[in-house]
Amino acid sequence: MPPAYSTNMRLKFPILALVLEIITIILYALLVVYDDGTSSGHHDGGHGKDNHTDHNANAVSLYPMFQDVHVMIFIGFGFLMTFLKRYGFSSVGINLLLAAFGLQWGLLLQNIWHLDNGKIRVSVEKMINADFSTATVLISFGAVLGKTSPVQLLIMTLLEITIFCINEHVAVGMLGASDVGASMTIHAFGAYFGLAVARVLYRPGLRNGHDNDGSVYHSDLFAMIGTVFLWMFWPSFNSAIATPGTPQLTAIINTYFSLAACALAAYATSSLVEHKGKLDMVHIQNATLAGGVAVGTCADMNIGPFGAMIIGVTAGVISTLGFKYLTPILASSLGIQDTCGVHNLHGMPGILGGLAGILAALLGRKEGVSPGYQAAALASSLGFALVGGAITGLIMKLPFWSQPPDQNCFDDSIYWEVPEEDEEAGESLAHGDHSKNKAEA
């Protein structure tokens, strides 16, 4: 018999959410100020100078990049996970919740190592990096999608961003690794952190699947919206914090071509492995994005457009094959129930990106980059992810976080007010009918 849990969040969720926000506000009151350019000696990772006039001219120069990354976080990731037929509210809604808290927490912890006269000076670049920190949580969210409560996920956000910031400081700050598009520190880290959590939260009752763990025509179409937004804006994600000028342009170009080549490879591989050569929407929604993940580490390196294309094709092939063959093996043999297949979109392509960065360093494609430190950064990201994910999973497994029972997994109605549907009669209510029913009630 599986354990019986109370899924009522009426006190747990509001108290946790408000306590976390109050603590965050207090910390911001003590530590966070505007970056007005008057500081002596502060810097934003190479973007801009300490000269006040230059600061005024460049203060919002990164805002278009910030907008692109913001769209990826809140629309791209959110809608990519709407493929489940009865879990769309949670996919988009909980994505918004976790990102809204995560960006506040991430901005604090990422910059706690770099206080300027005891303060964190907020700039657009720091806001971009805060969005990046939330991406790790949203990747991990995909691994446990449908099997966790909002309370558990807030706990995961708090712990994962904390561990992510420690690893980022080790990999980039201490080791000096180059990871401009964060193949290692965001994608590989987020994927393997989520897989470790999923393994600890393994549900034997879902071993043979679940009726709601699947898609319908319109839910796959909604997920494709997320894919297209991510695909369009990924060059901004990989180039946003690159050094302005040629390195930033290089990152944009490499990502552009890697994504394009990856898309062709993913379509071709999907047709090759599917019955009668048909395309599988799961492959197209996800594997077409793997090129953006894999080229991230060496995005600003002089690998040539053809090199970016090679990385993209390789990522598209291994991601599609992962969805087709590896995901079932992970579930049946290792007890890792990866709902969204983050191992195939972020995990393996993230490792591929790390390996490509090591090779590019060996070939001298970027000055001052050591292949040994690149390898150490990849190992650090995987180590922190697996150990941190396992510990976080054990904390999330405690029986008072309002987790759903097996029979209610992948169903919005356990945590959301859902409009009634007359499924048996095959009727669908128009928007006006929903309003009329609520008025009558």
Side-chain angles (χ1 to χ4, degrees):
M1 279 289 291
Y5 301 126
S6 169
T7 58
N8 190 324
M9 301 192 301
R10 190 166 190 177
L11 289 178
K12 298 171 191 173
F13 176 68
I15 289 173
L16 177 62
L18 292 175
V19 166
L20 289 176
E21 186 60 35
I22 289 168
I23 292 171
T24 304
I25 289 172
I26 293 170
L27 292 173
Y28 269 64
L30 296 172
L31 295 172
V32 180
V33 296
Y34 301 120
D35 182 7
D36 56 8
T38 58
S39 167
S40 58
H42 85 280
H43 63 89
D44 274 339
H47 284 284
K49 305 172 184 177
D50 293 334
N51 183 279
H52 188 55
T53 304
D54 287 345
H55 173 85
N56 288 338
N58 299 322
V60 294
S61 61
L62 280 175
Y63 189 72
M65 292 283 195
F66 167 72
Q67 285 181 305
D68 293 351
V69 173
H70 225 43
V71 167
M72 290 180 69
I73 295 298
F74 289 93
I75 296 179
F77 279 104
F79 276 90
L80 183 63
M81 293 185 278
T82 58
F83 69 95
L84 291 172
K85 57 189 172 185
R86 297 188 63 85
Y87 211 66
F89 283 14
S90 296
S91 298
V92 178
I94 301 303
N95 183 90
L96 171 60
L97 169 73
L98 302 184
F101 170 60
L103 65 87
Q104 298 174 72
W105 191 241
L107 192 144
L108 271 176
L109 295 190
Q110 282 180 314
N111 296 289
I112 204 71
W113 319 97
H114 311 294
L115 294 178
D116 177 17
N117 296 322
K119 300 293 182 182
I120 296 169
R121 296 182 177 271
V122 179
S123 63
V124 174
E125 187 186 356
K126 286 186 171 68
M127 291 162 62
I128 292 172
N129 279 310
D131 272 14
F132 284 168
S133 71
T134 69
T136 59
V137 175
L138 303 182
I139 292 166
S140 301
F141 177 34
V144 296
L145 188 71
K147 301 168 292 186
T148 44
S149 71
V151 180
Q152 286 177 297
L153 292 168
L154 274 178
I155 296 294
M156 185 179 82
T157 302
L158 178 74
L159 297 175
E160 179 168 4
I161 288 182
T162 303
I163 298 166
F164 160 77
C165 291
I166 295 170
N167 175 64
E168 185 183 49
H169 181 64
V170 170
V172 180
M174 296 172 65
L175 294 174
S178 178
D179 194 24
V180 71
S183 299
M184 301 182 290
T185 53
I186 290 178
H187 296 289
F189 177 91
Y192 289 101
F193 190 102
L195 293 173
V197 172
R199 179 62 187 90
V200 174
L201 299 182
Y202 174 69
R203 290 172 177 261
L206 300 181
R207 188 186 303 111
N208 298 318
H210 190 287
D211 290 343
N212 289 332
D213 185 11
S215 65
V216 291
Y217 190 87
H218 69 268
S219 67
D220 269 335
L221 191 58
F222 269 107
M224 198 64 193
I225 293 172
T227 299
V228 173
F229 270 101
L230 289 168
W231 200 92
M232 287 170 56
F233 290 127
W234 215 294
S236 294
F237 189 95
N238 281 356
S239 65
I241 61 170
T243 303
T246 301
Q248 195 166 46
L249 177 62
T250 301
I252 292 170
I253 293 170
N254 284 338
T255 308
Y256 177 81
F257 284 115
S258 182
L259 283 166
C262 175
L264 269 291
Y267 273 85
T269 309
S270 180
S271 175
L272 186 65
V273 299
E274 287 301 321
H275 184 58
K276 295 184 178 179
K278 294 184 178 182
L279 299 170
D280 188 324
M281 199 55 158
V282 172
H283 304 160
I284 306 309
Q285 287 163 1
N286 294 278
T288 53
L289 301 170
V293 174
V295 81
T297 295
C298 50
D300 63 341
M301 300 183 188
N302 184 21
I303 58 173
F306 78 94
M309 291 174 174
I310 291 171
I311 292 172
V313 168
T314 307
V317 171
I318 65 170
S319 180
T320 307
L321 294 177
F323 277 102
K324 179 66 177 178
Y325 301 111
L326 194 54
T327 296
I329 293 173
L330 290 179
S332 60
S333 301
L334 299 179
I336 300 174
Q337 298 160 330
D338 180 7
T339 307
C340 290
V342 300
H343 184 241
N344 311 308
L345 172 53
H346 300 279
M348 291 191 295
I351 290 178
L352 173 63
L355 297 175
I358 295 169
L359 178 60
L362 279 169
L363 296 175
R365 298 302 180 180
K366 183 178 179 181
E367 275 188 47
V369 177
S370 160
Y373 285 141
Q374 292 294 118
L378 177 59
S380 169
S381 297
L382 296 177
F384 273 104
L386 293 171
V387 175
I391 294 170
T392 300
L394 290 171
I395 294 171
M396 291 170 66
K397 199 171 185 177
L398 296 173
F400 45 74
W401 299 128
S402 301
Q403 45 265 68
D406 290 348
Q407 65 269 25
N408 295 116
C409 286
F410 312 108
D411 192 339
D412 277 332
S413 63
I414 193 169
Y415 299 119
W416 295 82
E417 293 288 349
V418 178
E420 292 183 8
E421 296 179 66
D422 191 354
E423 293 179 349
E424 293 180 5
E427 299 176 4
S428 63
L429 294 174
H431 181 74
D433 295 327
H434 282 309
S435 301
K436 182 180 176 184
N437 285 352
K438 287 183 179 179
E440 289 173 352

